[in-house]
Amino acid sequence: MELDRQAELNALRPDLLRFARLQLRDAAAAEDAVQETLLAALTGSHRFESRSSYKTWLISILRNKIIDIIRGQSREIAATSLADDEAGDDLLAETLFDQRGHWQEAAKPGRWADPDASFEQQQFWAVFEACLDHLPERTARVFMMREVLGFETDEICKEAGISSSNCWVVLHRARLGLRTCLETKWFAGAGAESQR
Amino acid sequence: MLSCRQATELMSQEQDRSLTFPERVGLRLHVWICAGCANYRRQMGVLRAACRRFGSGGTP
């Protein structure tokens, strides 16, 4: 059976917009990317059996639009702005590690029970998005270019106008922040419990 | 001997570049004796899997 594509588009539009905003951190650019995606989707003649396959297809179009926008902007994520992010990140590292660089007892990473089961829950993804959104802005942009949009590190350095070692530092901070947020807000708490 | 803080830096970088031989040996030794960092390393894999899934629209 063919989906009612217009109805599905309306239903999925908020998801697409949230996705674009997270990547671009720019409401107007996000809106443009989603508009172009919807246009492309309406003129396409693919047939879809389910909402999830339709969503996957839409996100893949949107991702390409976002990548084009980022490449076109060549907006430099200037080193000075990244430095602004650093203060907060250093504070995080200080709460996690002692002076000798060992885990503080309370911060020692625990074992995450069954991540695959978490991936099947909408609630997990709401927490995941909130944690991404919680990262310092430019740190988040670099991280999402790498992990969500699939840029190679070299290209990110070029777009962001930073050295590779600086790039690795930023990515490390993003991962440290994101895993700490997920551990606190999901894996160590009620979220992961509810699936047992 | 690596500190946990240094180990987490390498565990991030191994996702972005090939570690040098001494870095690999140092890291392997560290996660062998440090349960916290061994968990952290698994979590790096979970993060990557989650981001891939998120980026491909495969979320429920």
Side-chain angles (χ1 to χ4, degrees), chain B residues 41-56:
Chain B
R41 200 181 204 177
R42 277 180 221 112
Q43 292 169 6
M44 291 297 101
V46 175
L47 280 193
R48 177 151 281 182
C51 287
R52 294 263 155 92
R53 184 139 175 190
F54 181 67
S56 65

Side-chain angles (χ1 to χ4, degrees), chain B residues 3-29:
Chain B
S3 70
C4 299
R5 193 169 178 165
Q6 292 166 322
T8 58
E9 285 165 18
L10 289 181
M11 289 188 275
S12 174
Q13 288 180 26
E14 71 180 336
Q15 314 247 339
D16 303 314
R17 67 175 176 95
S18 313
L19 299 185
T20 65
F21 183 69
E23 284 172 336
R24 283 207 304 275
V25 172
L27 184 57
R28 182 175 291 188
L29 207 68

Side-chain angles (χ1 to χ4, degrees), chain A residues 30-52:
Chain A
E31 187 71 46
D32 287 349
V34 170
Q35 283 303 341
E36 286 180 35
T37 302
L38 297 185
L39 257 173
L42 285 171
T43 52
S45 58
H46 291 66
R47 292 173 65 88
F48 295 93
E49 309 274 307
S50 68
R51 174 183 281 195
S52 69

Side-chain angles (χ1 to χ4, degrees), chain A:
Chain A
M1 201 187 87
E2 170 89 271
L3 280 176
D4 178 351
R5 291 211 283 173
Q6 186 64 54
E8 290 297 329
L9 271 186
N10 288 335
L12 288 168
R13 196 172 181 285
D15 285 355
L16 299 178
L17 201 53
R18 237 181 25 253
F19 184 85
R21 281 196 177 141
L22 262 175
Q23 313 297 318
L24 293 166
R25 302 263 177 153
D26 175 338
E31 187 71 46
D32 287 349
V34 170
Q35 283 303 341
E36 286 180 35
T37 302
L38 297 185
L39 257 173
L42 285 171
T43 52
S45 58
H46 291 66
R47 292 173 65 88
F48 295 93
E49 309 274 307
S50 68
R51 174 183 281 195
S52 69
S53 63
Y54 193 43
K55 181 179 169 189
T56 305
W57 182 68
L58 287 171
I59 289 275
S60 74
I61 300 178
L62 179 58
R63 252 180 59 165
N64 286 324
K65 302 276 178 208
I66 291 171
I67 290 172
D68 286 348
I69 289 174
I70 290 177
R71 288 198 173 127
Q73 275 172 341
S74 75
R75 169 206 307 202
E76 293 206 347
I77 307 169
T80 51
S81 320
L82 279 167
D84 292 343
D85 284 359
E86 281 173 19
D89 289 325
D90 285 344
L91 209 65
L92 173 67
E94 272 164 37
T95 62
L96 296 177
F97 301 105
D98 66 20
Q99 284 192 327
R100 287 161 56 234
H102 295 139
W103 293 106
Q104 301 274 14
E105 202 44 49
K108 198 174 249 189
R111 194 177 262 278
W112 287 358
D114 204 353
D116 287 333
S118 292
F119 288 180
E120 299 308 323
Q121 296 183 62
Q122 279 182 346
Q123 194 52 35
F124 169 78
W125 294 103
V127 171
F128 182 77
E129 280 185 35
C131 286
L132 281 175
D133 203 34
H134 186 69
L135 291 173
E137 179 170 342
R138 284 168 180 87
T139 305
R141 275 178 64 98
V142 169
F143 177 73
M144 281 190 268
M145 281 171 79
R146 175 79 183 116
E147 296 292 342
V148 179
L149 300 173
F151 280 77
E152 286 302 325
T153 318
D154 290 346
E155 190 177 359
I156 300 173
C157 303
K158 216 178 74 205
E159 295 284 342
I162 55 182
S163 68
S164 5
S165 61
N166 207 330
C167 212
W168 293 327
V169 171
V170 174
L171 288 168
H172 163 58
R173 291 193 167 127
R175 290 178 178 123
L176 188 64
L178 187 56
R179 71 136 300 269
T180 304
C181 182
L182 286 177
E183 172 139 317
T184 316
K185 299 230 161 72
W186 181 263
F187 287 103
E193 286 296 326
S194 69
Q195 77 198 14
R196 295 207 190 109

